[in-house]
Amino acid sequence: MELSDVMRTTAAARAFTAEGLPPGALHRILDDARFAPSGGNQQGWHVIVVRDPALRRRLADLSAATWRRYLAEQAAGYRAFNPVDRAPDHIEVPDDLPAHPLLEAIEAVPEVLVVTVDLRTLAVTDCDLDRFSVVGGASIYPFVHNILLAARNQGLGGVLTTFLAASEPTAAALLHLPDHHAVVALLGIGRPVHQPTRLRRHPVASFATIDHHDGPPLDPPS
Ligand SMILES: Cc1cc2nc3c(=O)[nH]c(=O)nc-3n(C[C@H](O)[C@H](O)[C@H](O)COP(=O)(O)O)c2cc1C
């Protein structure tokens, strides 16, 4: 596929056909994804390919608790898990919330990956600011997105979920993570049931401005 087409059509796919990945496909995906940039080229990522159904279920159940909290915070009018405007702890999480499609069917997902990062590889230039830090993620999520782009390039697809990070201590024990390694994402990869081709995204003029944040929008090419 053309790079631009891959970038414009890599949707979040949460449901997959029963067909597995073609032989060698996962290795090829990771072999492309490893060319992601990282601060200082430290490449602090590790990928655990989770194939044990019981382990998948444990990870999905941990993730589902966060999914339910996410829905409950949203239902209460909050931007869920937002660090600036934190939802209060006392929000009640109802029992009858919808299941997350990836987590519900986790045993049947063709490949489940947990990406972790060695925190000792990160250079986090905003770590001393008096606000929530974002720079560390920039050394690992380009790699994660590369996995999704590489999957799309092979006619496959997947979704990045971050629910598991909220249960990191339990997940770390289940996955035998060494000290200083953090949970980055749990991904499902497969052949999507639906392959959307038109993603809903804001136009360039809504987020690119000249000279200042409130400057004039960047013009489209004439
Ligand atoms: C950092 C990040 C975290 C995400 N976490 C989740 C998640 O926990 N669960 C999930 O179903 N989707 C997750 N997504 C997928 C987003 O929901 C998805 O990219 C977005 O809704 C756009 O969907 P589309 O590409 O299909 O239009 C995450 C995406 C990113 C980039």
Side-chain angles (χ1 to χ4, degrees):
M1 289 178 71
E2 286 289 323
L3 174 63
S4 172
D5 291 336
V6 174
M7 291 170 74
R8 284 166 173 263
T9 62
T10 298
R14 302 181 177 88
F16 306 101
T17 66
E19 207 180 331
L21 268 58
L26 180 59
H27 192 278
R28 276 200 300 281
I29 288 169
L30 298 178
D31 198 29
D32 285 345
R34 71 192 170 92
F35 289 93
S38 56
N41 200 18
Q42 287 293 297
Q43 303 169 54
W45 45 76
H46 185 96
V47 178
I48 302 173
V49 181
V50 185
R51 290 189 172 152
D52 172 0
L55 180 56
R56 284 184 177 197
R57 176 46 49 207
R58 288 282 283 125
L59 298 174
D61 288 348
L62 286 173
S63 297
T66 307
W67 161 246
R68 286 193 293 272
R69 173 90 204 161
Y70 183 96
L71 292 180
E73 290 191 9
Q74 263 187 348
Y78 291 90
R79 179 87 202 99
F81 289 96
N82 186 271
V84 177
D85 184 20
R86 283 297 294 131
D89 288 342
H90 60 71
I91 287 176
E92 211 174 299
V93 180
D95 290 332
D96 57 348
L97 292 168
H100 187 282
L102 180 86
L103 305 176
E104 189 180 31
I106 197 81
E107 293 89 348
V109 174
E111 294 286 7
V112 172
L113 312 180
V114 175
V115 178
T116 66
V117 65
D118 182 346
L119 296 173
R120 293 165 301 186
T121 66
L122 301 183
V124 185
T125 50
D126 64 350
C127 70
D128 292 329
L129 296 185
D130 188 19
R131 62 145 172 81
F132 178 77
S133 171
V134 294
V135 169
S139 277
I140 185 69
Y141 287 104
F143 170 73
V144 177
H145 191 54
N146 263 8
I147 293 175
L148 297 174
L149 294 173
R152 175 72 185 117
N153 194 42
Q154 293 188 44
L156 302 167
V159 64
L160 176 187
T161 73
T162 52
F163 302 131
L164 190 62
S167 303
E168 186 172 284
T170 312
L174 289 169
L175 296 165
H176 302 178
L177 296 197
D179 285 347
H180 307 297
H181 285 243
V183 172
V184 171
L186 180 149
L187 291 88
I189 305 282
R191 197 169 292 285
V193 173
H194 302 292
Q195 190 76 272
T197 50
R198 286 177 67 84
L199 306 188
R200 283 186 306 126
R201 299 292 189 267
H202 302 307
V204 172
S206 72
F207 60 80
T209 52
I210 309 289
D211 286 336
H212 298 98
H213 198 283
D214 58 357
L218 179 72
D219 286 333
S222 47

